[in-house]
Amino acid sequence: MSTKSTQAERIAAEAAQPRADARRPRGDVIATAYRLQPDDLPEGLYTGKIHAITTQGVEALTPLAHLEGLAKPLALEAEDVTTLVRTSGSPFTSDWIGCKVDVRVVRIDDRRVVRLYAPGEPAPPVDRPARPKPRRRGLRSALGFVLILALALLAVYLVEQGPALWTLLQDMLSSIGR
């Protein structure tokens, strides 16, 4: 059994260690790692049914919509709640279960965000991320390949013709000395 002094030393040592997630507040880590983000929808659009509504938070509760087919829940903003109330006709979260919704990535105030819309409802266009341009292999890659190939062929030639080249070199040197 550990004593109070060793426990105090352990706790002090743990407090002195820098934390890996000390750069960001814990809420930001949870929001980006465990909540639906724009990058989680590669096409920017998903249509599905809500299969559960839960809440997060202690002082301020934020509703989370769990959609069939998506691993992460969507933290609902005020606009999303308004859409669900209008779509289901009820302010109770239990009545939102089973509602079919469109999840779209849209641009609001120069930020990409995920929002809920009723199917068929006019909505802003989907904000798809810019596709990266394919990398073209330049002249340097081709030149490097040709150089390596030439060196390999030269090495094979020298291995196969080495004795004949050695005798030719000896004959040339002996003819110079005459």
Side-chain angles (χ1 to χ4, degrees), residues 16-32:
Q17 292 294 323
R19 292 182 52 135
D21 61 348
R23 296 182 300 274
R24 295 191 302 179
R26 185 174 293 167
D28 290 346
V29 173
I30 291 172
T32 56

Side-chain angles (χ1 to χ4, degrees), residues 28-46:
D28 290 346
V29 173
I30 291 172
T32 56
Y34 301 105
R35 302 295 175 256
L36 192 65
Q37 299 296 312
D39 294 335
D40 295 332
L41 298 172
E43 296 300 317
L45 177 65
Y46 179 81

Side-chain angles (χ1 to χ4, degrees), residues 85-97:
V85 168
R86 189 176 59 247
T87 303
S88 68
S90 172
F92 301 109
T93 58
S94 61
D95 294 335
W96 300 349
I97 297 172

